Amino acid sequence: GGQYLHLIFLLERFLHSFHQLGGIFHIVFFQDMRILWNNSASMMLARQVVVFHLQQNTPYTVTTDIPSASSPQWHEYVQKNRPAFVALSDGNQDLPLGLPGTAVIAVFKTLLLHVLMQQVNCVFMSEIEHTATKAFGFYLQCRPHVMVEWFKSYDKYRRRKGYPSILAAITLNATICSRNVEEVEKKMMKVRSFVPPLPGGARDVTTLVACSQVLDQGLKTADPQVTEDILRLFLLHVVLLRHLPLKQRAQQLKDWNKAPFSFPVELLSHALDQVQQCMVDVLDICSKEGYFDQMETQFLSDIMDGRLFLQVSYLLLDAHSRGQQASLLSKELCDELEVLWALLKNISHEQLGPAVPVVASSVERTEGADSLEDENHDSVSDQLKTLGINSRAAFFPVSNTLVDAFAGDVKNCLPHLDRTDKQVTAAITENADFDETFHWHSGKPLADDYDNTKDIFNPEQLPTDKWERRRFLKGKQTFSRHMESYGKSLEGPGFQKIPIVVRKTDQKQEQKEKQKKERQERAKSTKQKAVKSKKDLILEERKKKEIEMKTAQMIQQWQTLKKSLKTGKALNSIQELDRFLEKCDREQVPQVAAEVQITILQHKVDMWKDKCSKQRGGRAHASLELPVEIIQTVSSIVDKYGQQLKPDQRQELAGAVRLLGLSDMVGYILPVGGEQEMLTNGAKTKSTAKDAGKYTVQMSGNRFQLQHMGHLLKREGRDDPDPRVQQFIPDTWQRELLDAVDNNESALIVAPTSSGKTYASYYCMEKVLRDGDDGVVVYVSPTKALVNQVAATVYARFSNKKMPDGMSVYGVFTRDYRHNALNCQILVTVPQCLEILLLAPHRQKWAQRIRYVI
């Protein structure tokens, strides 16, 4: 019996996570499933405590009146509530039920199939994971036609054996505890009538009645005095539950096999089993008779703490063997224990001794216990005592702003060591980093969850049996084929593996080639900056004169064209201006081209004004094609000729934009301060403030561009290929990321979905694979579901690399299983498992091989 309060906490946290996600759920306890726990008193008590706590102290809906999953009541319940899914266990947990594992799994499989037959999907509770907004888990979909054959075989089995169900078969071996209901009820009435009421409420009542039943029944192979001692220890542990915080309860358990006293320790486990079984009986009667409505039930979740009971028993027995028992307990604890013991005397039929001392039977010290303890103590402190320090711990002086602010004057009260003293340095052994084998605070051995995780297809665990080994290897081949087909389906049709060959280059040679390339680039840039020759100067002067003559000719043609356009229509004028603009672009005369485009803009503005004036409903019913063309023309002028534009030309462009009511786009055209100047001088839009409002588009610049100019918005892209990427042309940020990988640098990517982030990770993996066989890339996935997908993709891409014996290209490590985790070059895992590997002291050699964490 561990800490029941911790069990309740884990359960409530699990349910609260569903509640935070907005889930609506009911909790169902089948009556026949109780048979599973009959052989384990602690598990049966835990089940009853969970049921009663959820019913009495939580707002959740709890149902306990359904006999079984095959009963009509369950069918009616499902039809009435119509759940979206049912979350249940798969039965693979190692539960201390005292039953064969195959029988337990068969029970849960039967429960699963009965639920599926109600056309309800099932989810395994052990695999559920939560994020901020969703819950993920493995589920089984209801497919009745698949289960028809199984149920035929199952019914045939039941008829042949004569069992109504598998649970009924288990009940044949279950031991049913006989209970004297009337006697228990009388004892409960006496305890409940006690004034003042017990501070623990239902917990104290249940404990006293259960201890009374144990006294009346007696312990097996125990004399009455030992029974009284054990029950006094149990009641003392109940008193301590009222006062001890959880931090003080969390103590390292003593090793009873090395206890320095002689006591029939096996009786403690027998006593716990009997007390827990009697507690179950008492809780059943309280629930049946409705006593919980008249008692305080908030302490039911902390009904007992088996670890605290064992710790208290060890300390009291050890002190009693030394003759120091009286000095351990305070007067307040003794008073509360005497109250409980007096009530126990009142309801029991046995003649009991006093409450104090707690241990009255004789407990003797074992031979050599004192000398062994003294040796252990001296081995820790002898070296410090030689230095004049009586404490078991001393510190080197540390000066740090954070430590000084936190510790304050406490530092001055601590014993300090002198670093310059040779005796000090000789007495202290410096350990290597991460070489500890025990926790620094609790003293517990450091556990490695990696070893506790199931390793699938471990070659060291190859079965010795011929057929089992054949089945094992066949399953490994099937798994490999599945990963390959799954990876190919993720990559899509036409995918081809890239051959991975380890580069065998000398680092010194690479450094020389890099320096040679840098020298060539510097020489090239220096040559370009050299003084130009006389011939080059003559050619440049001639080219400059040709450009001036060409510009003068285009300006003259432009003046002639402007005179001819004054009498023409705007649409025809725009067409002629477009043709002349193309000529200006060919002749490369930007000064004239800017004026031409501004003239085109003026014609389009005039056309928009004329169109809005002719519309009866104003511009609300007018098409917005012309405003789109106006904004497009303004953008084209600013992008092409922004450096050649004069202030009055910029004001002309800004006036056209403001005419449309898109004043938030003026900053794109005018420099800082230019907008205020434009407001002072006025824009050449030939419109008054009175009628300017009818020309606006009545929306912001951003909304106008998104709704009507989406196909015209600029998109940054490149058309020059990158030799490192064969499938597509990468963007600038992707090239910078690949450069960071090539230079062994770190990078942080913030980009939307399907933007190419994952490809960069594959490039990183390929680089590490080509560099050698020692480097490791760790791909950290947020969920276990994504681990399988990434692992399949990695297998499909890089499985053709030839690895040394005992090595693998990829590996997987989750809390459920692991596969080639430490002997691979690409490890796909989740954050919790990466933390386990990084913090494990004996995994540091592997951690030093990590080149990238993605």
Side-chain angles (χ1 to χ4, degrees):
Q3 192 179 92
Y4 285 74
L5 183 61
H6 184 62
L7 171 66
I8 297 297
F9 165 74
L10 294 178
L11 175 62
E12 287 199 5
R13 187 177 65 175
F14 181 79
L15 298 176
H16 182 66
S17 60
F18 277 103
H19 184 70
Q20 280 188 318
L21 297 177
I24 302 174
F25 54 86
H26 294 179
I27 305 171
V28 178
F29 292 92
F30 293 109
Q31 294 177 0
D32 62 347
M33 295 295 286
R34 175 181 174 137
I35 304 298
L36 285 174
W37 319 100
N38 270 0
N39 291 337
S40 176
S42 61
M43 298 298 292
M44 175 63 81
L45 179 60
R47 183 183 190 272
Q48 296 300 91
V49 168
V50 166
V51 173
F52 297 141
H53 173 74
L54 292 176
Q55 288 177 332
Q56 300 294 327
N57 302 325
T58 64
Y60 304 125
T61 302
V62 182
T63 302
T64 59
D65 56 354
I66 300 179
S68 66
S70 60
S71 63
Q73 291 89 331
W74 170 244
H75 178 73
E76 295 175 0
Y77 180 86
V78 172
Q79 295 299 322
K80 178 181 178 181
N81 295 279
R82 300 307 304 171
F85 62 89
V86 174
L88 43 75
S89 172
D90 55 4
N92 286 323
Q93 292 78 14
D94 187 14
L95 301 175
L97 302 178
L99 297 171
T102 55
V104 177
I105 294 177
V107 170
F108 282 99
K109 283 184 177 180
T110 305
L111 174 62
L112 171 67
L113 289 168
H114 278 299
V115 173
L116 290 174
M117 285 301 291
Q118 300 296 331
Q119 298 183 358
V120 180
N121 297 332
C122 292
V123 176
F124 293 138
M125 281 192 292
S126 59
E127 304 294 339
I128 292 179
E129 295 181 351
H130 300 90
T131 63
T133 57
K134 296 180 180 179
F136 299 91
F138 291 99
Y139 73 96
L140 289 178
Q141 192 173 2
C142 173
R143 296 179 179 177
H145 62 281
V146 178
M147 297 178 289
V148 170
E149 295 299 328
W150 190 93
F151 264 97
K152 288 181 179 179
S153 302
Y154 174 60
D155 291 336
K156 187 183 297 183
Y157 163 78
R158 289 170 54 183
R159 288 193 298 269
R160 183 175 69 253
K161 295 293 184 179
Y163 298 145
S165 65
I166 293 181
L167 282 171
I170 296 178
T171 57
L172 297 179
N173 298 324
T175 58
I176 302 176
C177 179
S178 60
R179 32 175 117 160
N180 191 340
V181 178
E182 295 181 359
E183 185 178 355
V184 172
E185 289 181 351
K186 290 179 181 179
K187 293 180 179 180
M188 291 198 60
M189 294 299 294
K190 289 183 180 181
V191 177
R192 290 175 56 242
S193 62
F194 177 72
V195 179
L198 296 173
R203 178 180 64 187
D204 291 352
V205 173
T206 304
T207 302
L208 284 173
V209 177
C211 291
S212 174
Q213 289 294 98
V214 173
L215 278 173
D216 295 341
Q217 297 173 4
L219 287 177
K220 299 178 181 178
T221 67
D223 58 14
Q225 187 60 55
V226 174
T227 303
E228 290 185 24
D229 291 345
I230 294 177
L231 293 181
R232 272 193 292 262
L233 289 171
F234 190 82
L235 291 180
L236 176 61
H237 130 272
V238 173
V239 173
L240 291 174
L241 289 178
R242 304 174 184 173
H243 304 285
L244 284 183
L246 294 177
K247 183 178 180 180
Q248 295 184 11
R249 291 199 217 171
Q251 301 294 329
Q252 183 179 5
L253 286 178
K254 303 293 184 180
D255 189 356
W256 286 83
N257 295 325
K258 299 179 181 179
F261 51 84
S262 59
F263 185 82
V265 181
E266 64 278 358
L267 292 180
L268 291 176
S269 60
H270 294 321
L272 274 180
D273 288 341
Q274 285 190 255
V275 171
Q276 289 169 343
Q277 184 60 56
C278 293
M279 280 183 172
V280 173
D281 298 341
V282 174
L283 290 176
D284 287 343
I285 295 176
C286 289
S287 176
K288 182 179 179 181
E289 300 297 333
Y291 292 153
F292 283 139
D293 299 334
Q294 307 169 14
M295 292 186 294
E296 181 63 53
T297 59
Q298 63 174 337
F299 298 108
L300 273 179
S301 58
D302 197 16
I303 193 169
M304 66 168 289
D305 188 343
R307 293 171 57 87
L308 178 62
F309 170 68
L310 292 177
Q311 190 74 356
V312 170
S313 301
Y314 189 99
L315 293 176
L316 265 294
L317 292 171
D318 185 32
H320 181 58
S321 66
R322 296 171 179 269
Q324 302 172 356
Q325 180 183 176
S327 61
L328 283 183
L329 301 180
S330 64
K331 185 177 182 303
E332 291 79 5
L333 291 178
C334 293
D335 293 342
E336 294 187 30
L337 178 60
E338 287 177 353
V339 172
L340 293 180
W341 191 251
L343 280 174
L344 184 60
K345 283 183 178 181
N346 190 17
I347 63 176
S348 299
H349 303 300
E350 301 292 333
Q351 296 296 327
L352 305 178
V356 181
V358 180
V359 180
S361 57
S362 61
V363 178
E364 298 179 357
R365 301 287 292 178
T366 57
E367 295 182 2
D370 296 331
S371 59
L372 179 61
E373 185 174 353
D374 293 338
E375 289 177 3
N376 294 334
H377 184 275
D378 293 340
S379 63
V380 178
S381 58
D382 280 348
Q383 293 180 346
L384 295 177
K385 285 183 178 180
T386 59
L387 303 176
I389 299 174
N390 295 323
S391 174
R392 297 188 64 184
F395 303 89
F396 284 115
V398 176
S399 178
N400 180 276
T401 304
L402 180 62
V403 174
D404 295 341
F406 179 78
D409 297 335
V410 176
K411 290 178 55 180
N412 301 328
C413 304
L414 299 175
H416 288 90
L417 298 175
D418 185 6
R419 291 180 179 271
T420 61
D421 192 344
K422 295 182 179 180
Q423 292 182 347
V424 173
T425 56
I428 296 176
T429 303
E430 294 185 359
N431 295 327
D433 291 340
F434 304 104
D435 200 24
E436 297 85 359
T437 56
F438 293 90
H439 192 273
W440 69 275
H441 175 63
S442 64
K444 297 180 179 179
L446 292 176
D448 189 2
D449 292 336
Y450 174 84
D451 294 329
N452 298 331
T453 306
K454 181 180 179 181
D455 186 4
I456 60 173
F457 307 127
N458 185 1
E460 297 180 358
Q461 300 176 357
L462 193 66
T464 56
D465 182 70
K466 174 183 177 181
W467 298 105
E468 290 292 335
R469 183 168 60 253
R470 182 178 180 182
R471 187 181 298 109
F472 177 87
L473 296 176
K474 186 175 181 180
K476 187 175 181 180
Q477 293 175 352
T478 304
F479 178 75
S480 300
R481 289 195 299 268
H482 165 72
M483 294 294 289
E484 184 173 3
S485 61
Y486 183 29
K488 289 182 179 179
S489 66
L490 294 173
E491 291 295 332
F495 169 74
Q496 294 181 354
K497 293 184 179 180
I498 302 175
I500 305 295
V501 180
V502 178
R503 291 191 288 259
K504 297 182 179 179
T505 57
D506 189 3
Q507 294 183 356
K508 293 184 179 180
Q509 184 66 23
E510 289 183 355
Q511 188 69 16
K512 289 181 181 180
E513 293 179 357
K514 185 177 181 180
Q515 293 176 355
K516 182 179 178 181
K517 187 176 181 181
E518 292 177 353
R519 288 196 299 269
Q520 292 176 353
E521 292 179 353
R522 285 197 300 267
K524 185 177 180 181
S525 61
T526 304
K527 184 177 180 181
Q528 292 177 352
K529 295 179 182 178
V531 181
K532 298 180 180 179
S533 63
K534 186 176 181 180
K535 179 180 179 181
D536 294 336
L537 294 175
I538 294 174
L539 291 175
E540 287 184 1
E541 187 68 22
R542 183 182 300 173
K543 187 175 181 180
K544 185 177 180 180
K545 289 182 179 180
E546 290 178 356
I547 293 175
E548 290 177 354
M549 291 178 57
K550 191 181 298 182
T551 303
Q553 292 176 2
M554 295 300 298
I555 292 175
Q556 185 177 1
Q557 294 179 15
W558 169 236
Q559 297 297 335
T560 303
L561 180 61
K562 281 199 298 185
K563 293 179 181 179
S564 64
L565 292 177
K566 290 183 179 180
T567 58
K569 294 183 179 180
L571 183 60
N572 296 332
S573 300
I574 292 175
Q575 294 175 353
E576 294 183 17
L577 289 171
D578 287 337
R579 289 193 291 269
F580 186 74
L581 180 62
E582 293 177 359
K583 184 177 181 181
C584 292
D585 292 337
R586 288 196 304 269
E587 299 296 337
Q588 297 182 353
V589 187
Q591 299 90 341
V592 179
E595 292 186 12
V596 173
Q597 277 209 309
I598 291 176
T599 305
I600 295 175
L601 176 64
Q602 292 174 352
H603 283 290
K604 291 182 178 180
V605 171
D606 293 338
M607 292 173 63
W608 171 247
K609 290 181 180 180
D610 184 57
K611 186 173 183 179
C612 291
S613 301
K614 292 180 180 179
Q615 290 284 343
R616 293 183 179 181
R619 46 90 184 92
H621 299 283
S623 174
L624 296 181
E625 294 179 0
L626 276 174
V628 170
E629 295 180 3
I630 292 173
I631 298 299
Q632 186 180 3
T633 304
V634 171
S635 177
S636 176
I637 294 172
V638 174
D639 292 341
K640 291 182 179 180
Y641 319 110
Q643 301 295 333
Q644 289 82 17
L645 290 177
K646 301 176 182 178
D648 58 338
Q649 292 176 332
R650 289 183 179 274
Q651 293 180 6
E652 182 76 20
L653 299 179
V657 174
R658 293 181 66 86
L659 178 71
L660 300 176
L662 305 176
S663 57
D664 53 345
M665 298 178 62
V666 173
Y668 170 68
I669 303 168
L670 295 177
V672 178
E675 186 176 359
Q676 183 64 31
E677 182 182 355
M678 185 198 71
L679 294 175
T680 304
N681 299 333
K684 300 177 182 179
T685 56
K686 301 179 182 180
S687 61
T688 62
K690 183 177 180 181
D691 59 354
K694 65 181 181 180
Y695 303 134
T696 63
V697 295
Q698 285 193 339
M699 63 181 71
S700 65
N702 293 337
R703 183 173 293 277
F704 177 75
Q705 292 181 80
L706 291 175
Q707 287 187 355
H708 304 283
M709 300 183 64
H711 60 292
L712 300 174
L713 293 179
K714 298 177 183 178
R715 289 170 173 81
E716 296 183 359
R718 302 181 60 165
D719 54 1
D720 54 321
D722 191 309
R724 296 170 295 185
V725 181
Q726 304 297 331
Q727 291 82 357
F728 60 93
I729 298 178
D731 294 334
T732 302
W733 70 269
Q734 291 172 321
R735 297 170 192 256
E736 294 175 353
L737 179 60
L738 298 182
D739 293 338
V741 174
D742 292 337
N743 297 328
N744 296 323
E745 298 174 347
S746 300
L748 173 65
I749 312 174
V750 181
T753 305
S754 301
S755 59
K757 300 188 299 295
T758 308
Y759 180 84
S761 66
Y762 294 143
Y763 179 80
C764 177
M765 297 175 188
E766 182 179 348
K767 177 181 180 299
V768 174
L769 291 175
R770 292 184 185 277
D771 288 345
D773 298 329
D774 296 331
V776 174
V777 177
V778 181
Y779 189 101
V780 184
S781 171
T783 61
K784 289 188 293 185
L786 191 58
V787 166
N788 299 327
Q789 178 179 334
V790 175
T793 306
V794 171
Y795 184 85
R797 282 177 171 268
F798 308 121
S799 61
N800 57 350
K801 179 185 177 181
K802 294 182 179 180
M803 300 294 297
D805 293 340
M807 293 288 293
S808 174
V809 173
Y810 86 101
V812 175
F813 180 28
T814 65
R815 296 306 294 265
D816 294 331
Y817 74 97
R818 57 184 172 90
H819 177 51
N820 294 328
L822 299 181
N823 59 338
C824 66
Q825 284 197 269
I826 302 174
L827 175 62
V828 187
T829 183
V830 291
Q832 298 86 352
C833 295
L834 177 61
E835 180 184 11
I836 292 172
L837 293 177
L838 293 180
L839 298 183
H842 46 291
R843 309 293 179 196
Q844 295 309 305
K845 291 185 179 180
W846 174 86
Q848 293 174 0
R849 297 171 51 203
I850 297 178
R851 300 293 179 265
Y852 272 99
V853 177
I854 303 172

